[in-house]
């Protein structure tokens, strides 16, 4: 072990307290990192790894970044889910004895960033905490530090429900107890990809009393305290903007498990993980960032209460019908800044005068917004208008105190208006008078010396000076002028009275800048007192924004207001909101759907690519749109309220996403079966694909039967197992439907129309043709298909099916010898085709197979 320098000893001590973060250790103009931190950071940030004390036997790996560029590097690390601890010099190096004192002044973590360039505008940035209790319950707490919101959910249905709930939210970081079992911790970090942080102290801190007032359950208090303690310990700044905890009753919302949320691409697509192509992308006609975040929240928790849905729909309908007023509202909203996050930053103390001017500009829109809403006659619109409370006192304060275009810095003055502070006005008078006096002095000097080019200037080093060109020097009287600086063409002088005036001006300037800073802080503190009012206003504005967005998208995409009924779901000419948006040319084919108690399961058959998956998702998306209070894509809709939606989307589809395993498929199916009720909607798309044919078919059938007999959930079930269409005979509540396709001159034409009854043929080969596989290959496949179907006509190419080898997938031979399929083969194929597998036990199947094999090997 080599002996460390005192500074390294200090480093190691601080690092030991911040093991899970990159320690940015301030050294002069740099933040340095050492050892493991340096090695990892040099990779992640692509910066050079160097060594400290390179002469030593064991030099220390090191890398550094200039302090003024730190923000960008921090952003990269946070974006990758890491934490950063900022360690500053907390005493002046010039006066320090020994090693300069250093302390971690802030920890920046993925869930606690506040800097607006590290946050995405339209999305919340949640930090969560998870607590588990002896009685088997879990409590999840969400906090968005940038907006101040706090939400709590008590989960009684076990760990699986926790995962599904957490998956639903954009969580960047989760605070847990170090006692949480390791495998559960791994699931959080690996399955959900959330940064873990630990906080074991859950004792209630009296400082939070106001935030917790409404929590009457000790578990909730503890869980909330875990999160608040963590935030307090890492942030070390004012958290005055945090809102009172809101308890989320999960059973008040339509529940979507993580699979459904992913499969239905509500807010991001599976493939590209982006908003483009998701339902959110279609619906997001909000104007403000707050509205965009609110919409995302509504999508994450569709409603179950008919009354609340109708309330939203009523307002959407009003907006829908009043284009002019809606347009006026959209215009007003355009100048409304992110009030919610602004309130957070006011509390944190990191706003400048420009931010407050933006606040003012936003607030000034409120009266006109209110007036527009008051123009509607409906009572709901009137009360919406009444909820908008114009904070006149804040606007007045800002109007009186701040100039219209203040600088970015709050330390250079020029922010405060004349007339706001008497003291400031005196300083400013002194400055202005001083400057006027100097202008007069210039005139006077010119006249007295008769030097026309004489001028008075100012620079930072010498202050005010009188400048005389060399050619005119002889005109200057002796004695009064003191030389300060010599230029090539001129000399600069000062006089005692100029020095004296300069002193006065500079003092006034300095004092006024300091005073302006203090006045600004005062204004900010004044506004801070009204943060709850601003937050409430932000919420009402966000609501208005989302509702006008619904009206806007409903009008432009021709959506209709749904009715909510008790029994029979019935949609006329329904459409898929995203696909129709992507297909610009109005070519989407609308389809009807109806589901009721008598026919609660629809079994959908039809060729590949005909539109089965689209039809199923279309229903789920329509249901969700209806339950968030938006109009829906169709001509007419009677919807029923669903309590949960479950989806299992076919292996073919998630093969693309690179995650198809039969196990995943079964997990998702099981999740649906275990949790669905007769009020749920289940979409099972080509289940059983991930395993061998009979296995898969048997499971698919058993699942349909189980849902039919035990769960009675409304179910759409698509399948490529044609045999399953026979179930219509044995299951009274099941109905066959199919997607129509027509064959036209040897090509398949997809009509994308849903019809009653089962589909007849498989059009797989035609799809291959559409995909441009080589002509010879397509022809060969058609031949094989014909053979499989038993009506074998010899193809122009050669089959080499020999008596000893029952091969369906015959190699193509280059020789042109024509050969009839041996008689045994024909017979075997016919027998094989006629087997009714559904009525055979595995043993019977083995026997039949044995018999067939005998026939071809004899
Ligand atoms: P399947 O599940 O039957 O294989 P999909 O639902 O995946 O078929 O649909 C395949 C493609 O057909 C979709 O990507 C879409 O472009 C198109 N399609 C599906 N339904 C319709 C429709 N109703 N109108 C127009 N195009 C459709
Ligand atoms: Mg499909």
């Amino acid at each position: 072990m080599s002996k460390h320098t005192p500074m390294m000893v200090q480093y190691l001590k601080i690092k030991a307290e911040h093991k899970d973060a990159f320690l940015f250790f301030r050294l002069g103009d740099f933040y340095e990192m050492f050892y493991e931190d340096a090695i990892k950071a040099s990779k992640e940030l692509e910066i050079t790894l160097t060594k400290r004390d390179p002469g030593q036997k064991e030099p220390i790996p090191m890398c550094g970044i200039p302090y003024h560029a730190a923000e960008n590097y921090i952003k990269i690390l946070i974006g990758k889910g890491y934490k950063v601890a900022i360690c500053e010099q907390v005493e002046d190096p010039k006066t320090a004895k020994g090693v300069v004192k250093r302390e971690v002044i802030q920890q920046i973590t993925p869930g606690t960033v506040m800097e607006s360039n590290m946050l995405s505008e339209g999305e919340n940035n949640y930090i969560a905490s998870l607590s588990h209790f002896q009685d088997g319950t879990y409590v999840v707490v969400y906090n968005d530090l940038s907006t101040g919101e706090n939400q709590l959910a008590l989960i009684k249905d076990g760990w699986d429900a926790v995962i599904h709930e957490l998956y639903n939210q954009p969580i960047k970081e989760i605070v847990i107890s170090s006692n949480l079992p390791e495998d559960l911790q791994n699931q959080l970090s690996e399955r959900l990809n959330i940064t873990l942080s630990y906080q074991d102290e859950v004792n209630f801190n009296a400082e939070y009393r106001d935030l917790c007032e409404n929590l009457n359950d000790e578990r909730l208090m503890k869980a909330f305290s875990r999160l608040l303690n963590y935030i307090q310990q890492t942030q070390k700044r004012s958290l005055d903007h945090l809102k009172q905890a809101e308890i989320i009753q999960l059973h008040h919302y339509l529940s979507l498990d993580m699979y459904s949320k992913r499969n239905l691409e509500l807010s991001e697509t599976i493939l590209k993980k982006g908003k483009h192509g998701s339902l959110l992308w279609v619906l997001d006609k909000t104007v403000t960032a707050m509205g965009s975040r609110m919409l995302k929240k509504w999508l994450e928790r569709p409603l179950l209460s008919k009354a609340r849905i109708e309330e939203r729909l009523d307002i959407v309908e009003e907006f829908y019908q009043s284009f002019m007023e809606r347009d006026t509202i959209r215009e007003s909203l355009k100048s409304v800044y992110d009030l919610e996050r602004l309130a957070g930053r006011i509390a944190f103390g990191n706003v400048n005068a420009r931010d407050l001017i933006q606040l003012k500009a936003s607030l000034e829109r409120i009266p006109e917004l209110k007036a527009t809403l008051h123009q509607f006659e409906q009572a709901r619109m009137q009360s919406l208008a009444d909820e908008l409370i114009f904070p006149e006192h804040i606007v007045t304060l800002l109007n009186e105190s701040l100039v219209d275009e203040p600088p970015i810095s709050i330390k250079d003055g020029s922010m405060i208006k004349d007339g706001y502070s008497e003291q400031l006005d005196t300083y400013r008078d002194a400055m202005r008078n001083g400057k006027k006096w100097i202008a007069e002095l210039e005139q006077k000097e010119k006249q007295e010396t008769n030097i026309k080019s004489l001028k008075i200037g100012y620079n930072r080093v010498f202050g005010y000076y009188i400048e005389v060109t060399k050619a005119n020097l002889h005109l200057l009287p002796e004695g009064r002028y003191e030389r300060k600086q010599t230029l090539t063409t001129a000399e600069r002088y000062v006089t005692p009275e100029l020095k004296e005036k300069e002193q006065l001006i500079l003092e006034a300037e300095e004092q006024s800048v300091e005073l302006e800073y203090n006045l600004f802080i005062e204004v900010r503190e004044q506004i801070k007192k009204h943060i709850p009012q601003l937050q409430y206003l932000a919420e009402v504005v966000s609501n208005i924004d989302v509702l006008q967005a619904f009206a806007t998208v409903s009008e432009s995409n021709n959506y209709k207001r749904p009715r909510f009924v008790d029994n029979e779901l019935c949609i006329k000419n329904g459409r898929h909101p995203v696909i129709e948006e992507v297909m610009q040319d109005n070519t989407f084919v609308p389809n009807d759907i109806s589901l009721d108690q008598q026919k609660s399961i629809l079994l959908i058959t039809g060729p590949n690519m005909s539109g089965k998956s689209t039809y199923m998702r279309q229903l789920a998306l329509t249901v969700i749109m209806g339950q968030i209070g938006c109009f829906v894509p169709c001509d007419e809709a009677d919807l029923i309220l669903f309590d949960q939606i479950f989806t299992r989307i076919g292996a073919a589809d998630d093969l693309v996403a690179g995650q198809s395993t039969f196990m995943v498929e079964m997990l998702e199916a099981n999740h649906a079966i275990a949790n669905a009720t007769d009020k749920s909607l289940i979409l099972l798309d080509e289940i059983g694909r991930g395993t061998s044919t009979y296995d898969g078919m048997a499971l698919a059938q058993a699942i349909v039967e189980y849902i039919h007999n035990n769960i009675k959930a409304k179910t759409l079930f698509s399948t490529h197992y044609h045999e399953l269409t026979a179930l219509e005979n044995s299951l009274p509540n099941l109905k066959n439907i199919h997607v129509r396709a027509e064959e036209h001159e040897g090509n398949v034409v997809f009509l994308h129309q849903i019809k009653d009854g089962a589909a007849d043929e498989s059009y797989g080969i035609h799809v291959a043709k559409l995909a441009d596989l080589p002509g010879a290959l397509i022809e060969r496949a058609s031949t094989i298909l014909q053979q499989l179907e038993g009506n074998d006509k010899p193809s122009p190419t050669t089959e080499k099916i020999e008596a000893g080898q029952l091969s369906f997938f015959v190699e193509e031979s280059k020789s042109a010898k024509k050969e009839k399929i041996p008689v045994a083969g024909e017979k075997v194929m016919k027998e094989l085709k006629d087997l009714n597998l559904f009525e055979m036990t595995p043993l019977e199947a083995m026997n039949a197979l044995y018999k067939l094999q005998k026939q071809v090997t004899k």
Side-chain angles (χ1 to χ4, degrees):
M1 267 282 275
S2 56
K3 210 172 152 293
H4 287 299
T5 61
M7 194 199 74
M8 280 317 286
V9 172
Q10 183 191 38
Y11 171 84
L12 290 169
K13 184 164 168 276
I14 298 175
K15 176 66 200 173
E17 289 159 12
H18 296 91
K19 287 204 184 85
D20 63 347
F22 282 101
L23 184 65
F24 276 34
F25 193 72
R26 182 70 177 265
L27 260 180
D29 283 344
F30 280 80
Y31 287 119
E32 302 287 0
M33 280 166 273
F34 302 105
Y35 297 105
E36 281 303 308
D37 273 8
I39 295 169
K40 218 156 101 188
S42 69
K43 280 199 203 106
E44 297 285 7
L45 298 172
E46 296 174 25
I47 51 179
T48 321
L49 185 66
T50 58
K51 290 186 170 73
R52 189 172 171 87
D53 306 329
Q56 297 288 316
K57 239 203 262 155
E58 294 171 45
I60 300 170
M62 159 174 139
C63 69
I65 52 177
Y67 85 96
H68 57 81
E71 198 166 313
N72 280 329
Y73 290 108
I74 294 173
K75 188 176 170 181
I76 296 172
L77 292 174
I78 297 299
K80 294 185 176 201
Y82 295 114
K83 303 171 198 170
V84 175
I86 309 283
C87 178
E88 291 289 356
Q89 304 174 161
V90 292
E91 61 180 351
D92 190 344
K94 286 183 211 124
T95 57
K97 292 192 202 97
V99 182
V100 184
K101 216 170 133 201
R102 289 185 178 81
E103 264 171 29
V104 169
I105 55 142
Q106 191 195 354
Q107 291 176 62
I108 304 172
T109 71
T112 59
V113 285
M114 281 291 277
E115 286 65 22
S116 45
N117 69 347
M118 294 190 205
L119 294 169
S120 66
E121 272 205 341
E123 189 161 301
N124 279 102
N125 196 71
Y126 286 124
I127 180 167
S129 79
L130 175 67
S131 306
H132 60 298
F133 297 92
Q134 297 233 301
D135 60 0
T137 55
Y138 292 87
V139 177
V140 174
V141 186
Y142 300 103
N143 165 276
D144 183 333
L145 209 52
S146 69
T147 62
E149 68 188 81
N150 291 300
Q151 298 174 338
L152 290 96
L154 188 72
I155 299 175
K156 294 178 182 147
D157 308 328
W159 177 254
D160 215 27
V162 172
I163 290 283
H164 285 284
E165 168 59 24
L166 291 173
Y167 180 86
N168 235 335
Q169 305 292 334
I171 301 171
K172 301 286 156 50
E173 180 179 1
I174 190 159
V175 184
I176 53 177
S177 139
S178 52
N179 294 328
L180 191 72
E182 204 164 322
D183 60 316
L184 303 189
Q185 293 192 23
N186 290 340
Q187 286 193 41
L188 294 174
S189 63
E190 278 153 32
R191 246 174 112 185
L192 300 180
N193 201 11
I194 308 179
T195 302
L196 301 184
S197 297
Y198 299 92
Q199 175 73 41
D200 288 326
E201 214 233 299
V202 293
N203 290 333
F204 177 68
N205 182 336
E207 250 180 79
Y208 315 135
R209 188 169 298 118
D210 290 350
L211 298 176
C212 304
E213 232 169 30
N214 55 336
L215 304 183
N216 46 13
D217 182 319
E218 205 196 336
R219 294 169 297 187
L220 296 178
M221 291 283 265
K222 283 201 161 130
F224 198 23
S225 298
R226 182 189 307 285
L227 187 63
L228 291 172
N229 286 339
Y230 175 80
I231 295 175
Q232 182 115 75
Q233 282 166 24
T234 54
Q235 295 311 299
K236 306 180 175 167
R237 356 178 208 184
S238 152
L239 300 175
D240 293 348
H241 69 299
L242 293 191
K243 297 184 211 170
Q244 200 179 61
E246 176 196 349
I247 302 168
I248 300 180
Q249 304 289 354
L250 293 175
H251 59 274
H252 287 177
Y253 300 94
L254 169 81
S255 116
L256 284 157
D257 61 3
M258 60 190 273
Y259 307 122
S260 304
K261 191 172 180 251
R262 190 185 63 206
N263 290 337
L264 294 172
E265 308 192 311
L266 294 187
S267 52
E268 64 176 29
T269 56
I270 297 177
L271 261 180
K272 296 201 173 147
K273 299 259 169 255
K275 179 172 168 185
H276 187 93
S278 66
L279 181 62
L280 179 64
W281 168 70
V282 176
L283 298 185
D284 194 354
K285 301 283 183 276
T286 58
V287 179
T288 67
M290 303 178 277
S292 187
R293 289 197 298 271
M294 180 70 84
L295 168 59
K296 199 151 180 276
K297 274 187 247 180
W298 287 13
L299 255 185
E300 272 147 13
R301 300 199 199 280
L303 302 174
L304 285 186
S305 144
K306 190 171 160 188
R308 286 185 65 195
I309 296 172
E310 295 289 358
E311 197 177 308
R312 288 183 187 174
L313 286 171
D314 282 349
I315 299 173
V316 173
E317 182 164 352
E318 287 289 314
F319 280 147
Y320 184 106
Q321 286 166 352
S322 316
F323 175 80
M324 298 269 285
E325 286 79 0
R326 171 156 40 96
D327 214 41
T328 314
I329 286 174
R330 287 175 65 87
E331 276 309 311
S332 306
L333 288 174
K334 273 183 195 155
S335 2
V336 177
Y337 186 71
D338 197 336
L339 290 175
E340 206 183 12
R341 283 199 168 144
L342 202 51
R345 288 174 41 222
I346 291 170
F348 252 47
N350 55 0
V351 284
N352 59 26
R354 277 198 195 170
D355 293 325
L356 293 189
I357 288 297
Q358 268 172 316
L359 172 66
K360 186 182 83 170
S362 307
L363 297 179
E364 279 170 346
R365 302 269 77 83
I366 302 301
E368 69 195 37
L369 206 53
K370 216 173 148 85
T372 318
L373 289 172
H374 272 307
Q375 284 168 23
F376 291 85
E377 273 162 23
Q378 242 215 11
R380 273 221 217 294
M381 302 305 277
Q382 295 293 323
S383 56
L384 192 59
D386 293 340
E387 281 177 54
L388 280 175
I389 296 161
F390 177 53
E392 199 174 349
H393 51 289
I394 297 182
V395 175
T396 310
L397 171 66
L398 290 171
N399 255 334
E400 283 168 357
S401 58
L402 296 183
V403 298
D404 290 341
E405 288 175 18
I408 292 179
S409 166
I410 55 173
K411 298 213 165 119
D412 297 337
S414 311
M415 302 179 285
I416 304 290
K417 264 190 188 160
D418 282 342
Y420 179 68
S421 148
E422 243 174 71
Q423 182 67 44
L424 182 62
D425 289 348
T426 340
Y427 290 143
R428 281 182 173 164
D429 277 348
M431 282 155 63
R432 283 185 200 126
N433 287 340
K435 285 183 180 157
K436 195 165 143 234
W437 181 88
I438 281 174
E440 284 164 10
L441 179 71
E442 194 178 71
Q443 284 310 316
K444 202 176 95 195
E445 291 285 339
K446 270 185 191 172
Q447 277 165 8
E448 281 177 9
T449 58
N450 230 343
I451 305 173
K452 293 239 159 50
S453 63
L454 177 147
K455 64 180 182 197
I456 296 184
Y458 175 84
N459 78 25
R460 274 182 186 271
V461 184
F462 299 106
Y464 287 97
Y465 54 76
I466 300 171
E467 187 175 297
V468 180
T469 56
K470 293 227 163 122
N472 289 318
L473 285 182
H474 64 280
L475 293 173
L476 279 189
E478 291 285 313
R480 205 153 64 86
Y481 299 86
E482 180 192 340
R483 185 178 322 199
K484 266 282 169 193
Q485 193 188 8
T486 305
L487 308 177
T488 40
T489 56
E491 296 282 350
R492 288 177 175 174
Y493 301 92
V494 293
T495 62
E497 55 177 345
L498 185 58
K499 278 253 109 68
E500 193 185 312
K501 235 14 181 209
E502 175 189 287
Q503 176 92 13
L504 283 175
I505 294 172
L506 293 185
E507 250 175 39
E509 221 162 58
E510 201 173 285
Q511 278 162 339
S512 81
V513 166
E514 197 184 311
L515 179 60
E516 281 204 51
Y517 176 79
N518 291 335
L519 289 171
F520 174 77
I521 301 295
E522 246 172 53
V523 169
R524 197 181 68 194
E525 291 302 305
Q526 279 290 105
I527 296 173
K528 196 167 152 178
K529 288 188 203 133
H530 304 289
I531 281 176
Q533 191 186 347
L534 289 176
Q535 285 172 329
Y536 181 70
L537 186 63
E539 200 178 313
V540 179
V541 171
S542 313
N543 276 329
I544 294 171
D545 195 9
V546 180
L547 293 165
Q548 73 72 22
F550 284 173
T552 303
V553 70
S554 297
E555 195 205 353
S556 68
N557 293 3
N558 200 14
Y559 298 161
K560 294 282 149 51
R561 178 172 182 164
R563 288 177 295 263
F564 283 89
V565 298
D566 291 335
N567 294 315
E568 191 186 341
L569 178 144
C570 181
I571 298 172
K572 289 265 179 312
N573 287 326
R575 300 168 334 252
H576 189 297
V578 181
I579 295 186
E580 80 164 346
E581 179 103 351
V582 178
M583 304 175 28
Q584 301 110 336
D585 47 356
N586 262 340
T587 45
F588 192 88
V589 180
N591 275 303
D592 299 347
I593 190 164
S594 97
L595 280 167
D596 55 28
Q597 253 108 310
Q598 276 71 46
K599 294 294 171 202
S600 59
I601 300 184
L602 300 180
L603 189 92
I604 312 168
T605 44
N608 270 330
M609 290 298 288
S610 61
K612 300 185 295 298
S613 303
T614 306
Y615 184 68
M616 299 174 76
R617 291 178 201 212
Q618 173 177 319
L619 174 64
L621 294 178
T622 303
V623 164
I624 291 170
M625 285 169 71
Q627 288 187 230
I628 61 176
C630 185
F631 287 11
V632 294
C634 62
D635 288 349
E636 224 179 298
D638 285 341
L639 298 180
I640 48 183
L641 287 169
F642 287 104
D643 66 348
Q644 304 171 83
I645 296 180
F646 299 94
T647 63
R648 164 60 222 164
I649 301 292
D653 296 63
D654 57 16
L655 259 183
V656 188
Q659 49 194 351
S660 174
T661 68
F662 183 59
M663 193 59 192
V664 174
E665 197 178 339
M666 286 301 111
L667 279 173
E668 295 186 13
N670 178 51
H671 187 74
I673 286 168
N675 295 286
T677 71
D678 61 349
K679 300 221 161 24
S680 306
L681 175 64
I682 303 181
L683 307 181
L684 296 173
D685 193 353
E686 311 228 10
I687 201 148
R689 261 219 147 137
T691 181
S692 69
T693 309
Y694 295 143
D695 216 12
M697 188 155 59
L699 274 164
Q701 177 172 348
I703 289 171
V704 178
E705 286 174 355
Y706 190 86
I707 294 174
H708 182 277
N709 299 334
N710 301 310
I711 301 177
K712 304 186 194 308
K714 304 278 185 297
T715 304
L716 299 192
F717 194 100
S718 78
T719 184
H720 61 292
Y721 297 124
H722 215 263
E723 294 81 349
L724 293 184
T725 55
L727 284 171
E728 198 178 38
N729 303 324
S730 54
L731 304 179
N733 300 336
L734 180 144
K735 177 178 162 187
N736 281 326
I737 57 174
H738 70 280
V739 198
R740 202 169 134 224
E742 275 181 359
E743 210 167 330
H744 185 69
E745 293 173 357
N747 289 322
V748 71
V749 182
F750 293 129
L751 299 172
H752 305 302
Q753 280 171 359
I754 301 283
K755 297 279 164 197
D756 285 357
D760 39 14
E761 262 181 279
S762 164
Y763 293 76
I765 293 173
H766 299 286
V767 173
K769 196 168 176 181
L770 290 181
D772 262 352
L773 282 168
L777 190 155
I778 299 288
E779 215 169 285
R780 178 71 189 127
S782 307
T783 311
I784 298 171
L785 179 68
Q786 279 167 5
Q787 288 166 9
L788 291 172
E789 286 171 355
N791 52 348
D792 49 327
K793 302 174 202 111
S795 75
T797 49
T798 324
E799 287 85 11
K800 209 174 67 183
I801 299 182
E802 287 155 12
Q805 177 199 1
L806 181 70
S807 166
F808 290 145
F809 300 98
V810 190
E811 286 167 51
E812 201 163 331
S813 155
K814 284 201 183 86
S815 76
K817 97 181 138 115
K818 286 196 173 180
E819 204 178 316
K820 256 276 191 197
I821 296 174
V823 181
E826 257 176 87
K827 199 168 151 260
V828 167
M829 278 194 236
K830 169 131 189 30
E831 270 179 49
L832 191 56
K833 191 169 168 259
D834 291 343
L835 289 182
N836 187 346
L837 293 166
F838 287 102
E839 286 174 12
M840 295 170 97
T841 67
L843 197 64
E844 286 167 354
M846 274 296 283
N847 281 326
L849 203 54
Y850 181 74
K851 208 176 96 200
L852 289 171
Q853 195 184 45
K854 266 273 142 58
Q855 290 184 40
V856 291
T857 50
K858 66 181 174 232

